[in-house]
Amino acid sequence: MNTRLTRALASVTLVLAALLGLAFVGTGITHMADDGAVCVETGFWRNASLEGGLPVGKGVEAASSAARLCQDSPSVGQRAADLGGQLPWLLFGSLALLLFSRLLDAVVRQGPFTEAVARRLTVLGWFVAAGTVLTGLVAGWSHSWLVGSMAPIVGSGPTVDGSMMPVLAGLAAVVMGKIMREGVRMREDLEGTI
C-alpha cells in the first residue's frame, strides 16, 4: 500500500473541505450583505404564451422565453431562499470531504482492513446517502418558495434539486463498510484460533 499517496490524498481532501467551508461562510455573508436583485429560473412558463403577461408579484420582472424571474428589492426571506439553493450543497460537500479525509487518515494510521476504517466508511456512506436527499430537499424547497414568492399564482410544490446518484454511491459505501467489518471480525477470529 502506498501510504505516501494516501497521506497526500488525505491532506488534499482536508484542504478542499476547508476551502468549501470558507466558500460556504463567504457566500452566505456576501450574499446577505448584497443589495442587488435576486433572480430565479423556473420551467413553469417555458412554453407558455399568456395574454396580459406572466402572473408575477409586484416589483418582479419576468421573461417567458428564459423562464427567469427577478426581484429588484428582495425581502430577507427571498435573499435567504436564494442562498438555499447554493449553501446546502457547499456545506454537504465540505462535510463529505472532511469525513473522507478522516477515513484516509485511519487507513494511513491503522491500515485498510481495520474496524476503524470499516466504521468510518459506513459513516461516510450513510452521510452521503442521507445528506444527498436532505440537501436536495432543502435546495429544492428553497427554490420552490422563491418562485412562489415572486409568482404567487404558480405555487409550485416542493421539489428535490440535484442528482440523486450519490445516494447509490453512499449506499454502496455502507455495504462495503459492513463487508469490511465482517472481514475484520473473521480475521480476528482466525488469528485467535491460531
Side-chain angles (χ1 to χ4, degrees):
M1 185 178 90
N2 192 345
T3 57
R4 194 174 310 145
L5 179 63
T6 308
R7 188 174 290 123
L9 187 57
S11 297
V12 167
T13 55
L14 185 60
V15 167
L16 287 174
L19 287 175
L20 279 178
L22 287 173
F24 170 80
V25 172
T27 302
I29 290 171
T30 58
H31 195 73
M32 290 305 283
D34 184 18
D35 61 351
V38 168
C39 294
V40 65
E41 291 191 21
T42 178
F44 187 76
W45 294 292
R46 192 166 302 277
N47 296 321
S49 59
L50 302 171
E51 290 184 31
L54 300 173
V56 296
K58 185 178 179 181
V60 175
E61 293 179 24
S64 63
S65 60
R68 183 175 170 91
L69 304 170
C70 289
Q71 177 78 46
D72 285 331
S73 54
S75 67
V76 173
Q78 286 173 321
R79 195 165 294 288
D82 187 35
L83 275 174
Q86 302 169 31
L87 290 186
W89 290 111
L90 288 172
L91 182 62
F92 170 75
S94 178
L95 293 175
L97 284 171
L98 181 64
L99 289 173
F100 185 63
S101 177
R102 292 196 64 221
L103 170 69
L104 292 176
D105 270 346
V107 168
V108 168
R109 280 187 279 114
Q110 300 173 6
F113 302 106
T114 61
E115 181 71 27
V117 171
R119 187 175 352 98
R120 288 184 181 179
L121 182 60
T122 302
V123 168
L124 176 62
W126 279 120
F127 178 80
V128 169
T132 299
V133 174
L134 182 62
T135 303
L137 283 171
V138 169
W141 285 345
S142 294
H143 181 266
S144 296
W145 186 87
L146 186 57
V147 169
S149 73
M150 291 185 194
I153 283 187
V154 176
S156 64
T159 60
V160 178
D161 190 27
S163 172
M164 291 295 116
M165 290 304 291
V167 172
L168 296 177
L171 293 175
V174 169
V175 170
M176 287 305 299
K178 299 287 184 184
I179 290 170
M180 284 179 66
R181 185 171 286 156
E182 286 302 313
V184 168
R185 286 189 190 130
M186 289 173 61
R187 186 183 73 194
E188 289 172 353
D189 289 345
L190 183 63
E191 287 174 355
T193 58
I194 293 179

